Amino acid sequence: QCLLSGSWQSDTGCRMVVSTLGEDGRFSGSYLPGPATGDSEILPVPLQGSQQDGAGLVPQPIFSFTVHWQLQEAAQTTVFLGQCYVGTNGEEILHVLWLWREATDSPTEDWKATR
């Protein structure tokens, strides 16, 4: 059984803490970018998400969460989508893809807004 609640760290040093996991699969917590961002003054940012199965019946659930960055220069949001796996040695592993979106001033700039 892969349990999403708890503390996670990526290969690049980003950290996610899932502090509340409800019976309906919704969760909240915080996200902190790792040293790869180059900004030592970034504080943890709240996250909101949900997992496929809040009751714990799916052993390796699919999940998603959103982080809305509170930056002065531009509105930015990152969406994460992944699955929680249990490895052969019993270790829980998250495999995640993400999209980062920055607000633009016009549709002609849309091409550069998503990474």
Side-chain angles (χ1 to χ4, degrees):
Q1 179 74 26
C2 194
L3 301 174
L4 197 56
S5 59
S7 182
W8 300 88
Q9 184 166 330
S10 74
D11 296 340
T12 60
C14 298
R15 292 183 310 224
M16 173 179 79
V17 175
V18 176
S19 55
T20 305
L21 181 58
E23 291 180 13
D24 61 356
R26 294 181 189 189
F27 61 87
S28 62
S30 62
Y31 182 83
L32 182 65
T37 63
D39 189 344
S40 61
E41 295 189 27
I42 292 182
L43 299 173
V45 180
L47 64 84
Q48 296 290 321
S50 64
Q51 80 173 29
Q52 176 185 13
D53 174 38
L57 301 175
V58 175
Q60 301 184 122
I62 296 170
F63 65 90
S64 64
F65 66 92
T66 304
V67 174
H68 298 286
W69 302 97
Q70 305 298 323
L71 304 174
Q72 294 177 356
E73 59 272 8
Q76 300 172 4
T77 297
T78 307
V79 178
F80 297 81
L81 175 66
Q83 188 166 358
C84 188
Y85 293 100
V86 178
T88 55
N89 63 354
E91 180 181 337
E92 296 173 328
I93 303 164
L94 303 183
H95 283 240
V96 182
L97 297 173
W98 56 268
L99 286 173
W100 175 80
R101 177 73 185 201
E102 181 177 17
T104 62
D105 294 328
S106 70
T108 58
E109 296 177 350
D110 187 64
W111 64 272
K112 65 180 182 178
T114 302
R115 297 180 194 183

